[in-house]
Amino acid sequence: MNDIEEIVRSYISELRRGTLILCVLSRLDEPKYGYSLVQELEEKGIPIDAGTLYPLLRRLEKQNLLSSIWELTDSRPRRYYFLSDTGKAVYSRLCAEWHSMVSSMNKMIS
Amino acid sequence: MELIDRYIYAVIKRIPQKQRADIEKEIRTLIEDMLYASCGENIPSSADYENVLKELGNPAELAAKYNDKKNYLIGPEYYDTYLTILKIVLPCVIFGSVVVAFLEILANTPETFGSAFGDVVGAICSGAFQGFTWVTVIFALNERFLNIKALDAKKNWSVSDLPEIPKKEAIIKPVDPILGIVFSALFSIFFIFENHLIGIYNFSESKLISIIPLFSPEGIRRVIPWVVVIFIMLLMKEGIKLFTGRWNITVCAVAIITNIISLILSVLILKNNTIWNQSFLSELEAAGIGVSIQNINTAEIWNGVTKGLVYIIVFGYIIDSVVFLYRGIRYAR
């Protein structure tokens, strides 16, 4: 019984991991700093560890999907991330792929 | 707060120098944001600090997420090749060290059985350790700096690359080349380092008194590079057998070419008078072993022996090459 739980949990986390990039890209058409994104995703029912999101944001920036600037808000410096042009192009491609995948998947499992 | 500094330090020290300042700043603002989210305008208590850091999790894991560098010594791409090489090298060096240890024991006659046993165990351990270390170091260096493509990792793979299923007789079992490599490695090591043990063993009342060496160590030292070249030729021959796994024209052509090169070098080495122990005959006589029959020119016998050795080697190489030629033609496809 525990085995099944374990297996299910590991596959769910695998499914989530695949959608994470899409979640992040979808939220960054306007600049946001890391922790506000954590909170926003949590509100929308996609909880993610800050310790996972922050490195992910850096990696996306390294791939030129995101740009970032340090800005002072509430007298604190924070790094704001936002979609670059490449990021926008990649995001719309991924969205199209997502929609077709969802409709095929629905046909299969419903 | 000291706790935060310690946490950040624990993350940062695992991250490359270049990114440290930036990531430190980022994590610091993150922690402040998290504290603010849980306490608002209130001054956070030490329990609040602890909770936030607990939520962030193990600093080593966080650092690992920041590092997308390779955190392995030998990656999946090379792991199979690495294991194959280890499986060849380890038995070679272990077997080799045991033989050398035994010969040392034979030559030096240690005090007790215990010390002899210790020598052998020591030889096995240090041989295995050396072999393992060097193979691993070479593969790790390759992983990090060279990235030589694995043997069968071709970029543009096509269906025509699929090998024919060989006829049963055309398959080369891995044991065959591996044994070949083991023995030639042994022989080369032995010939280079322990050649003083090759000779006539002078026993008296079943106790070894002396060994009259056949070769001159200085002479052999001068031909070491050529012995190494012969060994490399053999490695190429057995290596291509091992990796191809079947007889075909290429394997046999490589085998014959390396055979010719080794043959020429072997003959040149043996024809070189300086490698032989020049005083072999007189030492033999002094030891009272030489059957000193009068009217026989011992020097002539000596000449005959060395010449005979050359003939045997030539003959061996020719037989070997003919066998290869036959197999190459027979299993050409």
Side-chain angles (χ1 to χ4, degrees):
Chain A
M1 198 57 194
N2 259 340
D3 282 355
I4 292 180
E5 283 302 305
E6 187 96 327
I7 291 169
V8 168
R9 213 174 316 126
S10 87
Y11 280 123
I12 285 178
S13 84
E14 214 165 288
L15 280 176
R16 275 175 186 280
R17 203 176 315 139
T19 58
L20 207 54
I21 305 243
L22 202 51
C23 294
V24 170
L25 294 181
S26 76
R27 298 292 98 197
L28 288 178
D29 43 350
E30 53 193 64
K32 275 170 195 141
Y33 62 92
Y35 196 66
S36 69
L37 197 54
V38 172
Q39 287 171 316
E40 189 179 339
L41 288 176
E42 190 159 6
E43 269 167 36
K44 301 216 182 288
I46 310 281
I48 176 176
D49 289 337
T52 304
L53 182 69
Y54 274 64
L56 175 65
L57 288 171
R58 284 182 78 86
R59 203 155 17 204
L60 291 175
E61 188 184 16
K62 214 171 151 192
Q63 287 181 314
N64 292 323
L65 301 190
L66 299 180
S67 311
S68 75
I69 40 163
W70 282 94
E71 236 173 63
L72 242 98
T73 41
D74 313 329
S75 73
R76 265 208 298 265
R78 286 180 177 127
R79 172 180 265 160
Y80 281 75
Y81 286 97
F82 52 96
L83 282 182
S84 67
D85 288 342
T86 323
K88 283 174 191 159
V90 169
Y91 173 59
S92 73
R93 292 275 300 275
L94 286 181
C95 274
E97 184 62 34
W98 171 259
H99 288 307
S100 87
M101 209 188 273
V102 165
S103 77
S104 332
M105 283 306 293
N106 281 340
K107 267 178 234 158
M108 258 192 281
I109 61 181
S110 62
Chain B
M1 183 71 185
E2 195 214 348
L3 217 51
I4 294 182
D5 291 335
R6 277 165 56 195
Y7 185 87
I8 289 177
Y9 172 73
V11 178
I12 291 303
K13 70 172 183 184
R14 297 178 164 92
I15 285 172
Q17 197 82 41
K18 272 191 295 182
Q19 304 167 24
R20 281 187 188 173
D22 198 41
I23 290 177
E24 169 169 2
K25 205 166 147 195
E26 202 171 77
I27 298 176
R28 208 173 279 281
T29 61
L30 169 62
I31 293 173
E32 281 164 9
D33 281 334
M34 289 169 86
L35 281 171
Y36 185 80
S38 64
C39 313
E41 298 296 333
N42 302 327
I43 294 168
S45 67
S46 60
D48 291 325
Y49 281 106
E50 277 180 35
N51 284 334
V52 163
L53 295 185
K54 256 186 226 161
E55 200 186 322
L56 268 181
N58 187 337
E61 278 171 33
L62 183 57
K65 284 182 196 160
Y66 271 111
N67 286 328
D68 39 5
K69 71 164 197 242
K70 298 170 173 176
N71 49 0
Y72 47 74
L73 197 58
I74 293 157
E77 205 182 331
Y78 299 99
Y79 192 66
D80 283 341
T81 320
Y82 169 68
L83 282 188
T84 314
I85 301 285
L86 263 194
K87 278 182 205 153
I88 300 167
V89 169
L90 281 187
C92 280
V93 289
I94 291 174
F95 192 55
S97 349
V98 171
V99 171
V100 171
F102 268 118
L103 289 166
E104 288 289 348
I105 288 168
L106 205 66
N108 301 325
T109 329
E111 311 283 287
T112 62
F113 174 75
S115 74
F117 186 71
D119 284 349
V120 175
V121 172
I124 292 174
C125 293
S126 78
F129 192 73
Q130 288 263 346
F132 180 78
T133 309
W134 283 109
V135 173
T136 309
V137 163
I138 289 168
F139 269 82
L141 287 178
N142 175 50
E143 187 73 54
R144 239 127 275 256
F145 304 111
L146 299 173
N147 258 292
I148 296 168
K149 280 277 153 283
L151 277 174
D152 44 2
K154 249 194 189 175
K155 267 267 162 64
N156 300 316
W157 181 84
S158 83
V159 187
S160 59
D161 290 342
L162 287 174
E164 299 261 346
I165 298 173
K167 288 180 203 131
K168 214 171 171 193
E169 317 85 70
I171 293 174
I172 303 173
K173 292 206 187 88
V175 196
D176 170 15
I178 289 176
L179 279 183
I181 293 172
V182 172
F183 281 110
S184 57
L186 271 182
F187 181 78
S188 308
I189 292 168
F190 191 71
F191 189 70
I192 292 174
F193 297 106
E194 306 289 344
N195 56 63
H196 58 274
L197 297 177
I198 307 174
I200 303 279
Y201 284 62
N202 186 8
F203 287 98
S204 166
E205 288 159 16
S206 76
K207 272 194 84 175
L208 184 65
I209 305 169
S210 64
I211 302 170
I212 301 159
L214 203 55
F215 295 102
S216 137
E218 290 82 45
I220 286 188
R221 210 165 300 137
R222 254 172 268 133
V223 297
I224 284 178
W226 302 114
V227 177
V228 172
V229 173
I230 292 177
F231 178 62
I232 291 171
M233 289 296 122
L234 203 127
L235 267 189
M236 282 170 62
K237 178 167 109 179
E238 302 296 337
I240 193 171
K241 275 161 71 181
L242 188 66
F243 285 108
T244 313
R246 54 160 299 181
W247 297 110
N248 63 21
I249 290 278
T250 328
V251 171
C252 297
V254 170
I256 290 170
I257 290 167
T258 56
N259 263 0
I260 291 170
I261 296 172
S262 314
L263 171 62
I264 293 170
L265 289 176
S266 309
V267 171
L268 288 179
I269 289 172
L270 291 179
K271 278 287 197 187
N272 179 352
N273 273 330
T274 57
I275 73 158
W276 302 101
N277 177 8
Q278 298 299 323
S279 56
F280 180 77
L281 290 176
S282 51
E283 281 175 45
L284 205 61
E285 231 162 301
I289 305 173
V291 193
S292 30
I293 307 165
Q294 281 174 354
N295 301 329
I296 284 185
N297 189 343
T298 39
E300 215 159 71
I301 296 176
W302 176 240
N303 247 336
V305 168
T306 53
K307 219 178 252 171
L309 205 56
V310 172
Y311 288 142
I312 291 172
I313 285 174
V314 173
F315 187 66
Y317 273 116
I318 288 174
I319 295 277
D320 197 48
S321 302
V322 168
V323 171
F324 274 119
L325 198 62
Y326 167 75
R327 281 173 169 153
I329 293 165
R330 168 112 199 251
Y331 305 118
R333 255 175 42 87

